[in-house]
Amino acid sequence: MKKHLIHIFSAALLMMSASCSKDLLDKPPLTDIENDAYWKTAKDLENYTLQFYAKLPAFNTLGNYLGHIGWDGLRGSDVQISASPSTLWNGTNQPVTSGGNWTWTDIRSVNVFFKNYQRCKEPFEKYKHYVGEAHFFKAWFYFEKVKAYGDVPWYTHPLEMDSEDLYKARDSRVLVTDSILWHLDKAIEYLGTIKSITGGNNRISKEAALLFKSRVALYEGSWQKYHAGTAFGTPGATPAKYFRAAVDAAEELMKPVYGLSLYSNGQPESDYCKLFSLTSQSASKEVLLWKAFSANLQMSHSFQIYVSDRTAGISMTMQQVYNYLGKDGNPYNYHTLAQTVKGNDFLSRIGADCDPRLAQTIWVPGATMWDNSFGKGTFTRPFLDKSGETLNNTGFQIRKGNDPKDPQAGSGVSWNTSCETGSIIFRYAEALLNYAEAKAELGEAVDYAKSINLLRLRAGMPAFKAQQDPNSQRFADYGYAISDELFEIRRERTVELGSEGFRFDDMRRWAAHKLVKGKRPLGYPLKAADWGGITIKYQTDAEGFIDPFVKQMPNGYGFNPKRDYLECIPLNEITLNPNLAPNPGW
């Protein structure tokens, strides 16, 4: 039993810089929910909520060595790809018989907490933070369900084998989302601030709940607005209600009382990349929640190896690069440049000419990849001639989060899992972007001085301005018209949050399948002379851009907009519970 409990709780205990105590290891199994020896103390409640921290996205939980930095490539998007086309965006997902994301274990576990926590004998003030954590995690788990399936059953109590609610119909998306927001309001009420809680930004806080509320509300407002009139439209949709909730949560977080700000050393050419390379984020006023790692505690990963000497098979696309403005704040004509400047010269040129966040997100020639006990390595050209986990298939190779001084960076390191770079889960920059987008969606004036311009100031970029980009159809054809202001806000979001796993969800909430349908992701303009006789097997399109999926999907992505925005409820579940209706198109 002791070994079992150490396995469950070690990650969360490290996040709080706490050690496994003897009284925790001697507790009866938490699966015995009616055990009279449990639920008596605040420590019991704390120990129970710790199990949920392991479910948060981090380097060792996302199925990819790049963690959230490669998540969009793993799940699929227009801006980041893996070696094979996304089955979702290519419309090749098949009905599932069982499994998938239709699992309710985590929601049942958090409902066990709500059933039992009032048995605690200590004053509420002593344990209300842990109740706030439970509210947060119930919202977290249900939001994942809504994104995947839309309408889902809402459960307020833990189901048993003979529960009638096992045969419950799906509740409306509105009821579920409003319930999620209610739980987040309770979390905000009960949770302590980062400054007041043990563990600081290693632990769920009021600030983290506010940011998550702004994310959920912005997602739902966007979904209701842009899916209106489709098979995924929401009956009785009120997108403005959710945009308002997103603004209110973000504006609360922006108040001086929380003391949040963007990480900066006054070095716009490096600050953005460095933020994601830090071993500890405990001193960062931008990071609201992060996961710590320790090789000594056998809790580490391989991230720095994969942003120096390998790639995990994930590459950025030309569609992402198009979003970066020139350093003067004006649209940059990448397409025209690529007709005469190619390969390494193209990478060097755009790295020098454009938003400094670009050269901190992808590798450009001459940049130092590692400089440690193994020597010094300099990026010379992308890994187009490699394969497997060292493959780059676009020419745009991911650098974001690289620390050349990290002992795990570079070719001198054999594969291992000893990297201790901290994993960012929530950061303040997202709140500023959520605020700007929701305000613009409401048709209200955005205060750019306290939002997007702060992001641009860190990057050394001019202030925000609404403008038309003559090349927008090459990378931002949403299939519907939006204002120049909203276009630029989405551009800023794509740049600032690039390679952080947001694009997959953004494309779904924006109903943005036109970004990919009938199109293929492209890479940089290939220059054969860069390779000194090495044959690069990738084909190029008529204009010289690498076309990595031309053989795999010659007609472009085959996304089905009448089916693929939501997942298939497993067929076995529908058979077992005839009250479950399948999602559109399945």
Side-chain angles (χ1 to χ4, degrees), residues 292-516:
F293 294 89
S294 169
N296 288 336
L297 294 179
Q298 297 183 349
M299 291 173 50
S300 50
H301 51 84
S302 304
F303 174 69
Q304 288 296 337
I305 299 174
Y306 286 86
V307 284
S308 57
D309 193 46
R310 308 183 192 192
T311 66
I314 303 295
S315 307
M316 211 172 80
T317 69
M318 192 71 222
Q319 283 83 346
Q320 169 78 12
V321 172
Y322 276 128
N323 280 279
Y324 293 83
L325 297 167
K327 285 184 176 178
D328 60 2
N330 295 319
Y332 189 85
N333 200 329
Y334 295 92
H335 187 263
T336 297
L337 176 68
Q339 305 313 302
T340 57
V341 180
K342 300 180 182 294
N344 282 347
D345 293 336
F346 181 82
L347 293 175
S348 296
R349 182 74 167 269
I350 64 176
D353 288 354
C354 300
D355 186 326
R357 286 172 290 187
L358 176 57
Q360 295 176 68
T361 302
I362 62 169
W363 287 105
V364 298
T368 300
M369 303 181 83
W370 64 89
D371 186 4
N372 50 32
S373 61
F374 296 106
K376 184 174 183 179
T378 301
F379 182 80
T380 57
R381 62 190 182 191
F383 297 170
L384 293 172
D385 57 335
K386 307 293 184 180
S387 61
E389 64 178 13
T390 57
L391 167 74
N392 174 271
N393 60 0
T394 64
F396 300 119
Q397 192 161 314
I398 296 172
R399 173 187 184 180
K400 189 170 182 175
N402 167 267
D403 176 7
K405 298 294 185 181
D406 190 283
Q408 303 307 315
S411 63
V413 180
S414 59
W415 189 88
N416 62 62
T417 57
S418 299
C419 182
E420 297 178 332
T421 301
S423 191
I424 298 173
I425 298 170
F426 289 121
R427 67 182 181 104
Y428 185 47
E430 183 195 347
L432 305 182
L433 292 161
N434 292 351
Y435 157 81
E437 184 178 342
K439 285 284 278 187
E441 289 284 13
L442 288 167
E444 299 176 357
V446 179
D447 188 340
Y448 290 105
K450 69 176 186 180
S451 57
I452 286 179
N453 283 348
L454 297 178
L455 302 173
R456 293 199 169 187
L457 179 64
R458 170 169 62 188
M461 288 291 290
F464 177 93
K465 63 181 178 182
Q467 58 189 325
Q468 290 186 337
D469 188 333
N471 285 300
S472 62
Q473 290 301 301
R474 298 187 184 278
F475 67 98
D477 176 10
Y478 296 108
Y480 50 81
I482 57 175
S483 67
D484 291 341
E485 180 183 34
L486 187 56
F487 176 90
E488 287 296 329
I489 290 171
R490 288 188 180 186
R491 181 207 290 270
E492 188 69 23
R493 182 181 184 87
T494 304
V495 168
E496 177 64 29
L497 301 181
S499 295
E500 291 182 52
F502 286 89
R503 189 65 168 186
F504 180 79
D505 287 340
D506 285 345
M507 290 175 69
R508 290 195 294 175
R509 69 183 176 90
W510 290 335
H513 62 271
K514 284 294 186 69
L515 291 173
V516 294

Side-chain angles (χ1 to χ4, degrees), residues 2 49 131 168 242 326 334 410 454 462 471 476 497 581:
K2 290 184 178 182
T49 58
V131 179
K168 184 176 173 23
Y242 298 99
Y334 295 92
L454 297 178
N471 285 300
L497 301 181

Side-chain angles (χ1 to χ4, degrees), residues 107 110 114 132-146 154 176-177 179-185 187 209 212-213 216:
I107 288 172
V110 77
F114 285 117
E133 286 182 315
H135 281 292
F136 175 92
F137 281 114
K138 184 161 185 179
W140 179 274
F141 297 139
Y142 256 111
F143 185 49
E144 293 301 303
K145 288 285 183 286
V146 168
W154 179 265
V176 177
T177 301
S179 298
I180 290 171
L181 294 174
W182 180 86
H183 275 279
L184 285 173
D185 284 339
F212 187 44
K213 181 180 179 181
V216 171

Side-chain angles (χ1 to χ4, degrees), residues 140-282:
W140 179 274
F141 297 139
Y142 256 111
F143 185 49
E144 293 301 303
K145 288 285 183 286
V146 168
K147 289 189 295 181
Y149 298 108
D151 300 346
V152 292
W154 179 265
Y155 296 118
T156 59
H157 55 279
L159 297 184
E160 306 299 339
M161 292 297 292
D162 58 351
S163 296
E164 290 186 6
D165 278 351
L166 288 171
Y167 302 96
K168 184 176 173 23
R170 302 165 73 180
D171 288 300
S172 72
R173 184 186 184 103
V174 169
L175 183 150
V176 177
T177 301
D178 286 353
S179 298
I180 290 171
L181 294 174
W182 180 86
H183 275 279
L184 285 173
D185 284 339
K186 299 304 288 185
I188 292 164
E189 178 183 353
Y190 294 150
L191 289 166
T193 62
I194 291 172
K195 296 177 182 177
S196 69
I197 59 177
T198 301
N201 60 356
N202 271 161
R203 186 151 200 162
I204 300 292
S205 63
K206 186 185 298 290
E207 291 93 329
L210 282 165
L211 177 54
F212 187 44
K213 181 180 179 181
S214 77
R215 181 188 297 182
V216 171
L218 180 62
Y219 190 99
E220 186 60 22
S222 305
W223 182 280
Q224 290 191 7
K225 177 176 179 177
Y226 293 104
H227 286 279
T230 74
F232 304 102
T234 305
T238 55
K241 178 180 84 170
Y242 298 99
F243 290 136
R244 174 60 58 202
V247 169
D248 290 347
E251 286 189 321
E252 173 64 23
L253 201 55
M254 294 156 73
K255 291 180 178 178
V257 65
Y258 296 101
L260 300 176
S261 60
L262 299 179
Y263 172 86
S264 176
N265 297 304
Q267 298 175 325
E269 300 298 328
S270 61
D271 281 340
Y272 178 73
C273 182
K274 187 172 183 179
L275 168 63
F276 300 90
S277 73
L278 301 176
T279 298
S280 173
Q281 297 284 357
S282 59

Side-chain angles (χ1 to χ4, degrees), residues 531-551:
W531 297 90
I534 298 174
T535 300
I536 301 303
K537 297 178 181 179
Y538 289 106
Q539 295 183 24
T540 59
D541 69 2
E543 295 178 303
F545 294 96
I546 288 180
D547 196 347
F549 292 160
V550 63
K551 294 180 180 179

